Amino acid sequence: MSEKTAPTETVPVIPHFVHGERREGASGRHSDVYHPATGSVAGRVPLASAEEIDAALASAEEGFAAWSALNPQRRGRILLRWVDLINENMDELATVLAQEHGKTFPDAKGDIQRGIEVVEFAAGAPHLLKGEFTADAGTGIDVHSIRQPLGVAVGITPFNFPAMIPLWKAGIALAAGNAFVLKPSERDPSVPVRLAELALEAGMPAGALNVVHGDKAAVDALIEDPRVKAVGFVGSTPIAQSIYAHAGRMGKRAQCFGGAKNHAVIMPDADLEMTADALVGAAFGSAGERCMAISVAVPVGAETADRLIALLRERVKDLRVGPSLEASSDFGPVVSKDAKERIEGYIAAGVEAGAELVEDGRGVVVEGHEDGFYVGATLFDRVTPEMSIYREEIFGPVLSVVRAKDYEEALTLVNEHEFGNGVAIFTRDGDAARDFSTRVDTGMVGVNVPIPVPIAYYTFGGWKASGFGDLNQHGTDGLKFYTKTKTVTTRWPSGVREGASFVMPAGS
């Protein structure tokens, strides 16, 4: 990523969106946005100054006053209108997303679709925001609870899902009555800006949803400002842990999700043809740039491993990496030149460590797109737990096969890994699947499902170094995170006066 003092005249600026209007930025600092398929600069994004962050938060406070004053059902109607507008503009959004991120057009549409499903769920918040009531909790005393919004919430979201994760966070926060300030990745920022414009068109008041671009300085300013009551983050584990600790020191709520090393355990009784198809899609879809991508396959037993490798080899060699908008591409480029170099460095490290390189994705050149950021599908066999390609998150189209002699060894591999985001088991044995689902130490589990991303009304979140905070994203956890509970105890005068009491009141 390069930083410039000012944008050039020929490259468009992707603006902030604050208080219902586009703002091109006044800091004088910009970052390049690329088309990964060609390697060319597509635009420049302004990096917000402290003054611009202050303006966005002032707008959010004003937007919160208007937005929270609407009853939950009216907010829900506006959210559903937002969904309609996103659907009406789906092709435009998916095209821009594919061009800036590198994922294929159908995959870009899936990114948006999984986001709006959570907004659809959030539109049902009136039922989920109901409090509780107890009559006669004590003599002549009633008790009730209410859920209230926090105020201004902030989302710091990653490049790999520039629509889905912003919609997950903003949709739930807005449904609960909060204002939301989104700081998306500066690598692919156009879609988040367009989503905010559509929210305004749907009927949200100016300031209810603002988008500001920036780097660490902007993130620190958002976290430290006392007007911000909650912070949501998705990205790498070191930054997730740092933001979680920083927000905690500032007395703010935080849910921060980090890296992953998702395993798939393949039992000897699994349908290996189906399993191989599932692994190829889960490992190499979106060039492996998914936090739920399968990056480690763990076949149980030598015979299972040998058969699986043969099936994977014949599938991987035929995969086509190409431009994002070309229908024949199975997956597109990675997001940046730096990402390409990092992934190829991991492949070299795996070879040097002694892993068997079955398919090598380095050095891919796409005709007519020679400067694009392409890495082909890469398959390793006989990877061991001490190797960096096993321990660390590569975030690219690299699948490592780690052979396990039995089920218990496979389960131990998953449970002893630093990350605990998602995991899958492939088997026909219900008892094995049940035991695995119960004992495995990860937040999300798939049984013959390679990417177990929960549907909108369940929660999404990892364990161990994959997640920091006690409440997950979307589902009812999201509404709990973005609201605070107030309990009200009521007694009305009855005409009987008992005088002062110096005893702690009891419940009955």
Side-chain angles (χ1 to χ4, degrees):
M1 182 180 71
S2 63
E3 187 178 303
K4 308 291 185 183
T5 57
T8 66
E9 294 182 1
T10 57
V11 177
V13 172
I14 300 156
H16 308 298
F17 189 79
V18 176
H19 212 67
E21 62 183 19
R22 289 179 166 233
R23 299 185 182 180
E24 292 200 351
S27 71
R29 298 188 306 128
H30 290 74
S31 178
D32 289 335
V33 177
Y34 289 88
H35 279 160
T38 63
S40 61
V41 175
R44 289 194 172 89
V45 61
L47 303 177
S49 64
E51 292 76 17
E52 288 170 312
I53 294 295
D54 179 71
L57 292 175
S59 168
E61 279 203 310
E62 186 176 336
F64 170 67
W67 180 244
S68 61
L70 299 178
N71 68 55
Q73 192 165 357
R74 289 184 64 191
R75 294 198 299 262
R77 292 191 192 111
I78 292 171
L79 290 174
L80 290 176
R81 177 58 184 148
W82 191 26
V83 168
D84 288 342
L85 289 171
I86 294 170
N87 276 317
E88 289 170 16
N89 291 272
M90 177 68 79
D91 285 356
E92 171 212 334
L93 291 165
T95 299
V96 173
L97 195 159
Q99 288 174 329
E100 286 188 356
H101 174 275
K103 63 179 67 178
T104 63
F105 179 74
D107 197 29
K109 292 181 75 171
D111 183 329
I112 300 164
Q113 178 61 33
R114 289 306 295 262
I116 62 178
E117 286 171 3
V118 170
V119 181
E120 288 172 331
F121 162 80
H127 170 68
L128 299 170
L129 293 172
K130 290 187 304 186
E132 299 172 311
F133 184 90
T134 299
D136 295 319
T139 303
I141 294 176
D142 302 330
V143 179
H144 72 275
S145 65
I146 53 178
R147 304 195 72 86
Q148 294 182 307
L150 304 176
V152 178
V154 164
I156 303 160
T157 58
F159 76 86
N160 61 322
F161 284 100
M164 183 182 79
I165 296 178
L167 287 169
W168 281 5
K169 293 191 173 298
I172 298 291
L174 290 164
N178 301 282
F180 197 78
V181 178
L182 173 64
K183 205 301 288 182
S185 171
E186 61 275 20
R187 291 179 174 179
D188 43 14
S190 293
V191 167
V193 172
R194 187 73 183 111
L195 292 174
E197 289 181 326
L198 293 174
L200 186 74
E201 186 179 338
M204 288 186 202
L209 176 57
N210 293 322
V211 178
V212 289
H213 310 295
D215 50 14
K216 184 179 184 299
V219 170
D220 288 344
L222 288 167
I223 295 172
E224 291 168 6
D225 195 290
R227 289 169 289 188
V228 173
K229 306 304 180 186
V231 178
F233 171 84
V234 178
S236 70
T237 287
I239 298 176
Q241 192 165 17
S242 174
I243 289 177
Y244 184 72
H246 193 177
R249 286 192 297 270
M250 301 300 297
K252 303 178 192 296
R253 293 189 181 189
Q255 51 173 201
C256 300
F257 298 94
K261 198 71 176 180
N262 305 310
H263 293 57
V265 172
I266 299 95
M267 298 297 288
D269 68 332
D271 180 331
L272 289 186
E273 293 277 355
M274 181 195 79
T275 300
D277 287 337
L279 291 177
V280 167
F284 304 118
S286 197
E289 291 178 322
R290 295 170 176 158
C291 62
M292 290 293 285
I294 292 292
S295 54
V296 180
V298 186
V300 174
E303 182 181 351
T304 306
D306 290 343
R307 290 173 57 208
L308 181 67
I309 284 290
L311 291 170
L312 289 174
R313 186 199 302 267
E314 69 180 38
R315 286 161 171 77
V316 170
K317 66 181 176 60
D318 292 332
L319 292 179
R320 186 177 187 280
V321 56
S324 313
L325 298 179
E326 209 164 278
S328 60
S329 299
D330 292 306
F331 61 94
V334 296
V335 73
S336 67
K337 182 180 180 181
D338 289 347
K340 171 182 168 69
E341 292 172 350
R342 176 180 49 78
I343 295 162
E344 291 184 341
Y346 270 111
I347 297 170
V351 172
E352 186 174 345
E356 180 182 329
L357 186 58
V358 180
E359 290 292 335
D360 188 351
R362 293 173 293 180
V364 169
V365 176
V366 176
E367 186 177 352
H369 297 78
E370 288 79 7
D371 294 327
F373 310 137
Y374 296 98
V375 182
T378 299
L379 176 63
F380 279 107
D381 191 13
R382 303 186 187 278
V383 174
T384 57
E386 68 275 5
M387 295 178 182
S388 63
I389 58 171
Y390 176 76
R391 297 192 320 270
E392 300 170 19
E393 184 177 37
I394 299 173
F395 223 60
V398 180
L399 177 62
S400 296
V401 175
V402 180
R403 296 173 177 235
K405 65 179 183 296
D406 55 31
Y407 168 76
E408 288 296 332
E409 182 182 1
L411 179 62
T412 299
L413 282 167
V414 180
N415 285 347
E416 290 186 351
H417 202 282
E418 174 189 9
F419 298 117
N421 199 45
V423 69
I425 184 170
F426 289 86
T427 183
R428 300 173 192 264
D429 186 335
D431 182 58
R434 186 175 186 273
D435 182 80
F436 184 83
S437 300
T438 302
R439 295 170 59 197
V440 74
D441 193 13
T442 64
M444 293 168 283
V445 182
V447 177
N448 298 315
V449 174
I451 303 181
V453 177
I455 53 179
Y457 41 93
Y458 283 81
T459 65
F460 179 104
W463 292 359
K464 298 186 286 190
S466 294
F468 302 90
D470 60 343
L471 290 171
N472 289 334
Q473 298 180 94
H474 65 71
T476 54
D477 268 18
L479 286 166
K480 290 177 183 176
F481 178 78
Y482 287 114
T483 56
K484 54 192 175 186
T485 303
K486 180 181 289 181
T487 305
V488 181
T489 303
T490 304
R491 180 172 63 184
W492 297 104
S494 62
V496 178
R497 300 187 181 278
E498 299 177 352
S501 173
F502 300 94
V503 178
M504 182 69 182
S508 59

